[in-house]
């Protein structure tokens, strides 16, 4: 076995051993005060971002919406136990809640009923990813699909926000049509129709790559360092270099994991390198702002990456 083969093999072992770290859904993590050290900054991003996302998303869920899916399922269970009276009472309550939502949200098609936030945090290095991709491609060429799958399955580093939405254009009318079926004794048909109604719930997933979020945080800290007055300009310059290098490293990881297009990364790398030419000058603020604006726009384009997540071997929910 030559040195290159050995390195690839060891990288695969590391990847399979480390996999992806999964944090349970809907738990708030305490965040720390940022410190001027790249590793500390990186560690806190996933928890802080998840906390922020939940704070943004959960207030948009109205009480009635959060109960509708569960109560529709309860009605199916009641019908399965021949409790037609109980099922009718439940569905009448669901219908009232839907009417309230329609009155509060005229013209709105989708109302969020449930939000789940999951974090898949990849532990490998950029070099390990490159070796693993190379090895997986080699296995695929030789028809070893399952071997390649074992390598690629953990290669995702992202926050996934999954929202279950109630379609107000169809759900209320469908529920109202089921109650008469129960009254007329058509229980089997009512169960089938209720199951179909649940199937109309619209599930959307936003994918936000952690390496990109971490790069953004690192650049934010780097920009603030330029204005510190407790260090010399040379010391500040060195500190800023550490953070911008760390940010580029995280962007390279995101690129290797297949998030976004190559041209987007080329532009960002070039803009980050340009920062150092204007430090402590009148042009500096504009250069920093340009980098952060472009990175923000890139993040927006990455939000709908469900198909990209599947391409890099991430299991769809």
């Amino acid at each position: 076995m030559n040195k290159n083969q050995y390195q690839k093999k060891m990288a695969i072992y590391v990847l399979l051993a480390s996999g992806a770290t999964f944090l349970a859904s809907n738990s708030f993590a305490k965040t720390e005060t940022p410190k001027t050290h790249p590793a500390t900054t990186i560690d806190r991003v996933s928890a802080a971002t998840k906390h922020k996302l939940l704070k943004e998303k959960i207030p948009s869920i109205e009480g009635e919406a959060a109960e509708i899916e569960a109560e529709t399922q309860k009605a199916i269970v009641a019908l399965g136990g021949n409790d037609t009276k109980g099922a009718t009472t439940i569905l009448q309550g669901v219908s009232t809640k839907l009417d309230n939502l329609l009155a509060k949200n005229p013209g709105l098609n989708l109302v969020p009923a449930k939000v789940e936030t999951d974090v898949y945090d990849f532990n490998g290095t950029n070099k390990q990813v490159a070796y693993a991709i190379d090895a997986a491609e080699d296995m695929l060429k030789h028809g070893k699909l399952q071997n390649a799958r074992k390598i690629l399955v953990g290669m995702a580093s992202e926050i996934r926000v999954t929202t279950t939405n109630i379609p107000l254009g169809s759900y209320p009318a469908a529920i109202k049509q089921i109650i008469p079926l129960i009254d007329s004794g058509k229980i089997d048909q009512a169960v089938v129709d209720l199951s179909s109604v649940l199937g109309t719930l619209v599930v959307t997933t936003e994918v936000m790559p952690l390496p990109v979020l971490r790069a953004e945080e690192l650049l934010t800290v780097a920009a603030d360092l330029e204005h510190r007055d407790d260090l010399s300009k040379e010391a500040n310059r060195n500190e800023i270099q550490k953070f911008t290098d760390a940010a580029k490293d995280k962007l390279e990881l995101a690129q290797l994991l297949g998030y976004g297009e190559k041209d987007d990364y080329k532009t960002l790398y070039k803009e980050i390198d340009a920062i150092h030419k204007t430090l402590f000058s009148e042009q500096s603020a504009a250069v920093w702002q340009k980098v952060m604006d472009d990175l923000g726009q890139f993040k927006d384009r990455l939000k709908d990456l469900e198909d990209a997540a599947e391409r890099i071997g991430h299991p769809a929910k």
Side-chain angles (χ1 to χ4, degrees):
M1 181 185 296
N2 62 35
K3 182 179 179 181
N4 193 40
Q5 289 173 322
Y6 174 78
Q7 287 176 321
K8 288 180 183 178
K9 190 171 184 179
M10 290 307 298
I12 292 166
Y13 287 154
V14 171
L15 286 165
L16 292 176
S18 62
T21 301
F22 174 71
L23 303 181
S25 300
N26 299 332
S27 61
F28 279 26
K30 187 182 286 186
T31 59
E32 308 177 353
T33 302
K35 299 176 183 177
T36 55
H37 190 283
T40 303
T41 302
I42 289 167
D43 288 343
R44 76 186 184 87
V45 168
S46 59
T49 305
K50 183 176 179 181
H51 181 88
K52 180 182 175 184
L53 286 169
L54 288 173
K55 284 180 70 177
E56 288 174 352
K57 295 281 185 179
I58 287 176
S60 68
I61 299 174
E62 300 190 40
E64 295 96 336
E67 298 167 357
I68 285 169
E69 179 186 6
E71 292 189 4
T72 303
Q73 291 171 336
K74 284 181 184 176
I76 294 174
V77 172
L79 289 174
N82 292 317
D83 182 7
T84 55
K85 185 177 179 180
T88 299
T89 300
I90 291 169
L91 291 177
Q92 285 172 340
V94 169
S95 185
T96 298
K97 288 181 173 67
L98 287 164
D99 287 343
N100 289 338
L101 285 174
L102 281 168
K104 291 179 185 177
N105 303 281
L108 189 64
N109 184 38
L110 296 176
V111 172
K114 182 170 64 178
V115 175
E116 295 176 298
T117 306
D118 298 325
V119 178
Y120 297 85
D121 200 351
F122 179 76
N123 292 324
T125 65
N126 297 9
K127 187 175 288 188
Q128 288 167 353
V129 174
Y131 283 145
I133 292 170
D134 190 31
E137 288 176 346
D138 186 61
M139 289 174 184
L140 288 171
K141 285 178 185 176
H142 292 86
K144 297 179 180 180
L145 176 60
Q146 295 307 313
N147 290 29
R149 179 170 163 258
K150 288 176 183 177
I151 295 172
L152 297 176
V153 70
M155 293 176 65
S157 188
E158 62 199 36
I159 293 179
R160 298 169 66 83
V161 182
T162 303
T163 306
T164 301
N165 302 276
I166 297 169
L168 290 181
S170 59
Y171 209 100
I175 293 294
K176 285 183 169 66
Q177 290 171 3
I178 290 167
I179 294 174
L181 290 176
I182 298 172
D183 293 340
S184 62
K186 297 178 180 179
I187 307 304
D188 289 343
Q189 186 61 49
V191 170
V192 170
D193 287 0
L194 273 177
S195 298
S196 297
V197 170
L198 284 173
T200 66
L201 293 170
V202 179
V203 179
T204 59
T205 301
E206 289 181 351
V207 177
M208 290 172 239
L210 275 169
V212 175
L213 296 176
R214 286 169 171 152
E216 182 180 48
E217 183 70 12
L218 288 162
L219 290 172
T220 299
V221 175
D224 290 340
L225 282 171
E226 187 176 357
H227 306 292
R228 282 183 59 174
D229 55 10
D230 58 333
L231 296 173
S232 67
K233 284 188 178 181
E234 190 58 35
N236 275 357
R237 193 181 294 275
N238 291 337
E239 286 296 300
I240 291 167
Q241 185 74 56
K242 288 179 188 175
F243 276 85
T244 55
D245 286 348
K248 285 175 66 177
D249 184 72
K250 290 302 163 188
L251 288 173
E252 286 167 7
L253 177 58
Q255 183 178 354
L256 283 166
L257 289 172
Y259 296 109
E261 302 297 328
K262 187 176 181 180
D263 286 345
D264 288 315
Y265 290 99
K266 277 185 178 179
T267 300
L268 288 170
Y269 297 147
K270 192 176 295 184
E271 289 180 353
I272 291 170
D273 288 339
I275 287 169
H276 299 280
K277 298 174 184 177
T278 61
L279 285 177
F280 310 109
S281 72
E282 292 181 0
Q283 293 80 36
S284 181
V287 173
W288 279 113
Q289 191 61 51
K290 172 67 173 167
V291 173
M292 301 308 291
D293 287 347
D294 286 352
L295 187 56
Q297 291 169 15
F298 181 45
K299 273 173 50 189
D300 289 340
R301 293 195 294 274
L302 290 173
K303 281 185 180 178
D304 299 319
L305 275 178
E306 180 68 13
D307 58 333
E310 291 174 356
R311 284 201 301 274
I312 64 168
H314 184 77
K317 294 192 78 171

